[in-house]
Amino acid sequence: AANPERPMSRILFPTLVSLLMWFLVPPEAEARVTITRTNYHGWLEAYVMSNGKASAVIAPAIGRVMQFGFVGEEGVFWENRALDGRIADGHLMVWAAKDWANFGGDKTWPSPESDWSNFTSRKGWRPPPAFDGWSADVRLSGGTLTLVTAVDPFYGTIAERRIRLHS
């Protein structure tokens, strides 16, 4: 004899599995990366990038990723709060006359550091200016933020940093 309840179980079981998967695996739209312009400690044109689990704070005015961490928790990078909102003077004469100011965060430097004075003709330790503290142009494309520095006057190169969080 035919079981009249069997066809219903063929419909009900896949529906229950689909509903369970909906709750366990969030829809793609909820996991997308957002990039929002913000004022971060006085840097007016900073960006916060988040995928809902991790976030990064980027301050193009000083060419740095200032913070990274889990959403809702303290970030992992040290920040020099005494320099909040300040920018580095882009003139070479000013750069040459001043000591290095560590804003904190994450930056890109050419390697090895021991060769810097060979390029900059400056005695002592000091990162080349375009790599440390000068502003960077921002390019946004989908869920990626790219920082592009000016040409460094000593190395003759640019630094291009692509910052992306997986969705």
Side-chain angles (χ1 to χ4, degrees):
N3 182 350
E5 293 179 26
R6 186 162 187 117
M8 184 60 135
S9 66
R10 288 185 185 157
I11 295 169
L12 196 54
F13 182 71
T15 303
L16 288 174
V17 170
S18 294
L19 284 172
L20 184 60
M21 291 302 291
W22 174 265
F23 289 109
L24 294 177
V25 181
E28 189 66 33
E30 290 182 27
R32 76 182 224 282
V33 173
T34 60
I35 301 173
T36 309
R37 185 177 274 177
T38 190
N39 174 345
Y40 185 73
H41 300 299
W43 289 292
L44 302 178
E45 305 222 355
Y47 293 85
V48 175
M49 178 183 286
S50 177
N51 64 4
K53 295 178 183 174
S55 66
V57 179
I58 300 101
I62 54 172
R64 294 187 184 209
V65 176
M66 287 304 294
Q67 207 46 262
F68 177 77
F70 291 110
V71 171
E73 295 183 20
E74 187 175 342
V76 297
F77 295 147
W78 175 81
E79 297 175 278
N80 186 347
R81 304 315 302 267
L83 297 176
D84 280 357
R86 295 195 187 164
I87 58 171
D89 191 314
H91 296 92
L92 282 181
M93 296 301 284
V94 174
W95 174 86
K98 289 188 172 183
D99 288 331
W100 180 60
N102 186 359
F103 290 96
D106 182 64
K107 54 243 166 229
T108 300
W109 287 344
S111 182
E113 292 177 24
S114 59
D115 285 351
W116 290 349
S117 61
N118 296 336
F119 286 88
T120 64
S121 300
R122 181 185 166 104
K123 290 183 181 182
W125 187 92
R126 178 78 193 268
F131 293 96
D132 192 72
W134 278 7
S135 66
D137 290 332
V138 175
R139 295 183 192 150
L140 296 172
S141 177
T144 302
L145 186 148
T146 304
L147 293 176
V148 182
T149 67
V151 175
D152 184 82
F154 300 107
Y155 277 77
T157 61
I158 63 167
E160 183 175 305
R161 301 179 71 188
R162 288 188 197 110
I163 300 111
R164 187 178 80 183
L165 297 175
H166 290 280
S167 56

